[in-house]
mmCIF file of all heavy atoms in Angstrom:
data_model
loop_
_atom_site.group_PDB
_atom_site.id
_atom_site.type_symbol
_atom_site.label_atom_id
_atom_site.label_comp_id
_atom_site.label_asym_id
_atom_site.label_seq_id
_atom_site.Cartn_x
_atom_site.Cartn_y
_atom_site.Cartn_z
ATOM 1 N N SER A 38 88.959 101.221 132.838
ATOM 2 C CA SER A 38 88.156 102.323 132.231
ATOM 3 C C SER A 38 87.855 102.109 130.764
ATOM 4 O O SER A 38 86.889 102.722 130.215
ATOM 5 C CB SER A 38 88.815 103.686 132.446
ATOM 6 O OG SER A 38 90.075 103.687 131.734
ATOM 7 N N GLY A 39 88.572 101.268 130.095
ATOM 8 C CA GLY A 39 88.319 100.987 128.692
ATOM 9 C C GLY A 39 86.928 100.387 128.386
ATOM 10 O O GLY A 39 86.457 100.462 127.257
ATOM 11 N N PHE A 40 86.315 99.852 129.429
ATOM 12 C CA PHE A 40 84.993 99.213 129.240
ATOM 13 C C PHE A 40 83.847 100.162 129.778
ATOM 14 O O PHE A 40 82.704 99.733 129.736
ATOM 15 C CB PHE A 40 84.913 97.888 129.993
ATOM 16 C CG PHE A 40 85.815 96.856 129.335
ATOM 17 C CD1 PHE A 40 87.035 96.550 129.882
ATOM 18 C CD2 PHE A 40 85.388 96.170 128.236
ATOM 19 C CE1 PHE A 40 87.860 95.560 129.304
ATOM 20 C CE2 PHE A 40 86.186 95.182 127.638
ATOM 21 C CZ PHE A 40 87.447 94.930 128.151
ATOM 22 N N SER A 41 84.189 101.373 130.228
ATOM 23 C CA SER A 41 83.178 102.182 130.858
ATOM 24 C C SER A 41 81.992 102.524 129.940
ATOM 25 O O SER A 41 80.857 102.629 130.402
ATOM 26 C CB SER A 41 83.829 103.489 131.323
ATOM 27 O OG SER A 41 84.371 104.220 130.284
ATOM 28 N N GLY A 42 82.220 102.643 128.653
ATOM 29 C CA GLY A 42 81.189 103.010 127.702
ATOM 30 C C GLY A 42 80.257 101.866 127.396
ATOM 31 O O GLY A 42 79.198 102.095 126.795
ATOM 32 N N TRP A 43 80.555 100.665 127.841
ATOM 33 C CA TRP A 43 79.675 99.521 127.537
ATOM 34 C C TRP A 43 78.378 99.547 128.333
ATOM 35 O O TRP A 43 77.399 98.881 127.909
ATOM 36 C CB TRP A 43 80.434 98.219 127.828
ATOM 37 C CG TRP A 43 81.382 97.775 126.763
ATOM 38 C CD1 TRP A 43 81.944 98.639 125.791
ATOM 39 C CD2 TRP A 43 81.845 96.535 126.461
ATOM 40 N NE1 TRP A 43 82.785 97.937 124.944
ATOM 41 C CE2 TRP A 43 82.702 96.621 125.395
ATOM 42 C CE3 TRP A 43 81.625 95.258 127.048
ATOM 43 C CZ2 TRP A 43 83.390 95.508 124.805
ATOM 44 C CZ3 TRP A 43 82.286 94.138 126.499
ATOM 45 C CH2 TRP A 43 83.140 94.302 125.438
ATOM 46 N N ARG A 44 78.345 100.260 129.398
ATOM 47 C CA ARG A 44 77.136 100.257 130.243
ATOM 48 C C ARG A 44 75.865 100.562 129.472
ATOM 49 O O ARG A 44 74.856 99.925 129.624
ATOM 50 C CB ARG A 44 77.350 101.280 131.397
ATOM 51 C CG ARG A 44 76.158 101.533 132.329
ATOM 52 C CD ARG A 44 75.703 100.309 133.081
ATOM 53 N NE ARG A 44 74.705 99.545 132.344
ATOM 54 C CZ ARG A 44 74.395 98.293 132.621
ATOM 55 N NH1 ARG A 44 74.894 97.659 133.614
ATOM 56 N NH2 ARG A 44 73.441 97.719 131.899
ATOM 57 N N ARG A 45 75.954 101.548 128.594
ATOM 58 C CA ARG A 45 74.778 102.028 127.875
ATOM 59 C C ARG A 45 74.312 100.994 126.847
ATOM 60 O O ARG A 45 73.180 101.059 126.342
ATOM 61 C CB ARG A 45 74.964 103.338 127.191
ATOM 62 C CG ARG A 45 76.128 103.340 126.151
ATOM 63 C CD ARG A 45 76.326 104.686 125.556
ATOM 64 N NE ARG A 45 77.456 104.772 124.628
ATOM 65 C CZ ARG A 45 78.738 104.934 124.984
ATOM 66 N NH1 ARG A 45 79.013 105.213 126.227
ATOM 67 N NH2 ARG A 45 79.693 104.956 124.015
ATOM 68 N N GLY A 46 75.153 100.013 126.440
ATOM 69 C CA GLY A 46 74.773 99.116 125.417
ATOM 70 C C GLY A 46 74.373 97.709 125.965
ATOM 71 O O GLY A 46 74.131 96.785 125.152
ATOM 72 N N LEU A 47 74.304 97.568 127.276
ATOM 73 C CA LEU A 47 73.909 96.287 127.892
ATOM 74 C C LEU A 47 72.544 96.336 128.501
ATOM 75 O O LEU A 47 72.033 97.431 128.791
ATOM 76 C CB LEU A 47 74.963 95.981 128.989
ATOM 77 C CG LEU A 47 76.363 95.717 128.538
ATOM 78 C CD1 LEU A 47 77.308 95.616 129.751
ATOM 79 C CD2 LEU A 47 76.457 94.403 127.699
ATOM 80 N N PRO A 48 71.877 95.129 128.706
ATOM 81 C CA PRO A 48 70.582 95.143 129.349
ATOM 82 C C PRO A 48 70.657 95.867 130.728
ATOM 83 O O PRO A 48 71.655 95.786 131.407
ATOM 84 C CB PRO A 48 70.333 93.661 129.480
ATOM 85 C CG PRO A 48 71.073 93.027 128.384
ATOM 86 C CD PRO A 48 72.343 93.814 128.251
ATOM 87 N N ALA A 49 69.542 96.478 131.115
ATOM 88 C CA ALA A 49 69.563 97.297 132.296
ATOM 89 C C ALA A 49 69.799 96.477 133.558
ATOM 90 O O ALA A 49 70.231 97.006 134.560
ATOM 91 C CB ALA A 49 68.187 98.011 132.436
ATOM 92 N N ASP A 50 69.456 95.185 133.534
ATOM 93 C CA ASP A 50 69.619 94.357 134.751
ATOM 94 C C ASP A 50 70.936 93.619 134.777
ATOM 95 O O ASP A 50 71.100 92.680 135.575
ATOM 96 C CB ASP A 50 68.421 93.430 134.915
ATOM 97 C CG ASP A 50 68.214 92.535 133.687
ATOM 98 O OD1 ASP A 50 69.001 92.637 132.745
ATOM 99 O OD2 ASP A 50 67.274 91.701 133.718
ATOM 100 N N VAL A 51 71.900 93.981 133.926
ATOM 101 C CA VAL A 51 73.215 93.417 133.928
ATOM 102 C C VAL A 51 74.187 94.359 134.627
ATOM 103 O O VAL A 51 74.290 95.521 134.188
ATOM 104 C CB VAL A 51 73.709 93.068 132.508
ATOM 105 C CG1 VAL A 51 75.162 92.608 132.530
ATOM 106 C CG2 VAL A 51 72.843 91.971 131.903
ATOM 107 N N GLU A 52 74.855 93.933 135.670
ATOM 108 C CA GLU A 52 75.873 94.775 136.268
ATOM 109 C C GLU A 52 77.158 94.625 135.523
ATOM 110 O O GLU A 52 77.747 93.492 135.323
ATOM 111 C CB GLU A 52 76.064 94.424 137.741
ATOM 112 C CG GLU A 52 77.061 95.339 138.447
ATOM 113 C CD GLU A 52 77.208 94.968 139.933
ATOM 114 O OE1 GLU A 52 77.574 93.831 140.231
ATOM 115 O OE2 GLU A 52 76.963 95.866 140.730
ATOM 116 N N LEU A 53 77.761 95.756 135.124
ATOM 117 C CA LEU A 53 79.074 95.756 134.426
ATOM 118 C C LEU A 53 80.235 96.035 135.348
ATOM 119 O O LEU A 53 80.197 97.056 136.067
ATOM 120 C CB LEU A 53 79.041 96.813 133.282
ATOM 121 C CG LEU A 53 80.333 97.056 132.565
ATOM 122 C CD1 LEU A 53 80.745 95.784 131.729
ATOM 123 C CD2 LEU A 53 80.236 98.277 131.594
ATOM 124 N N LEU A 54 81.204 95.155 135.367
ATOM 125 C CA LEU A 54 82.370 95.307 136.137
ATOM 126 C C LEU A 54 83.567 95.058 135.299
ATOM 127 O O LEU A 54 83.485 94.361 134.251
ATOM 128 C CB LEU A 54 82.423 94.359 137.326
ATOM 129 C CG LEU A 54 81.196 94.342 138.230
ATOM 130 C CD1 LEU A 54 80.279 93.136 138.023
ATOM 131 C CD2 LEU A 54 81.612 94.386 139.719
ATOM 132 N N ALA A 55 84.707 95.643 135.659
ATOM 133 C CA ALA A 55 85.941 95.429 134.940
ATOM 134 C C ALA A 55 87.084 95.172 135.917
ATOM 135 O O ALA A 55 87.038 95.676 137.055
ATOM 136 C CB ALA A 55 86.308 96.575 134.014
ATOM 137 N N VAL A 56 88.046 94.377 135.465
ATOM 138 C CA VAL A 56 89.184 94.044 136.341
ATOM 139 C C VAL A 56 90.198 95.168 136.368
ATOM 140 O O VAL A 56 90.553 95.713 135.322
ATOM 141 C CB VAL A 56 89.839 92.746 135.892
ATOM 142 C CG1 VAL A 56 91.107 92.421 136.708
ATOM 143 C CG2 VAL A 56 88.882 91.572 135.948
ATOM 144 N N ARG A 57 90.630 95.578 137.554
ATOM 145 C CA ARG A 57 91.593 96.635 137.742
ATOM 146 C C ARG A 57 92.983 96.011 137.892
ATOM 147 O O ARG A 57 93.363 95.482 138.927
ATOM 148 C CB ARG A 57 91.250 97.435 139.036
ATOM 149 C CG ARG A 57 89.871 97.961 139.097
ATOM 150 C CD ARG A 57 89.486 98.426 140.519
ATOM 151 N NE ARG A 57 90.382 99.463 141.036
ATOM 152 C CZ ARG A 57 91.022 99.371 142.164
ATOM 153 N NH1 ARG A 57 90.904 98.300 142.959
ATOM 154 N NH2 ARG A 57 91.790 100.319 142.585
ATOM 155 N N TYR A 58 93.758 96.078 136.802
ATOM 156 C CA TYR A 58 95.129 95.635 136.927
ATOM 157 C C TYR A 58 95.992 96.618 137.764
ATOM 158 O O TYR A 58 95.833 97.816 137.642
ATOM 159 C CB TYR A 58 95.740 95.499 135.544
ATOM 160 C CG TYR A 58 95.132 94.515 134.616
ATOM 161 C CD1 TYR A 58 95.190 94.680 133.230
ATOM 162 C CD2 TYR A 58 94.436 93.434 135.072
ATOM 163 C CE1 TYR A 58 94.589 93.775 132.350
ATOM 164 C CE2 TYR A 58 93.810 92.484 134.239
ATOM 165 C CZ TYR A 58 93.937 92.655 132.830
ATOM 166 O OH TYR A 58 93.317 91.779 131.936
#
Side-chain angles (χ1 to χ4, degrees):
S38 63
F40 292 99
S41 61
W43 280 24
R44 174 62 272 164
R45 61 182 177 271
L47 294 170
D50 55 1
V51 173
E52 183 178 58
L53 174 64
L54 306 104
V56 175
R57 304 165 60 233
Y58 297 154

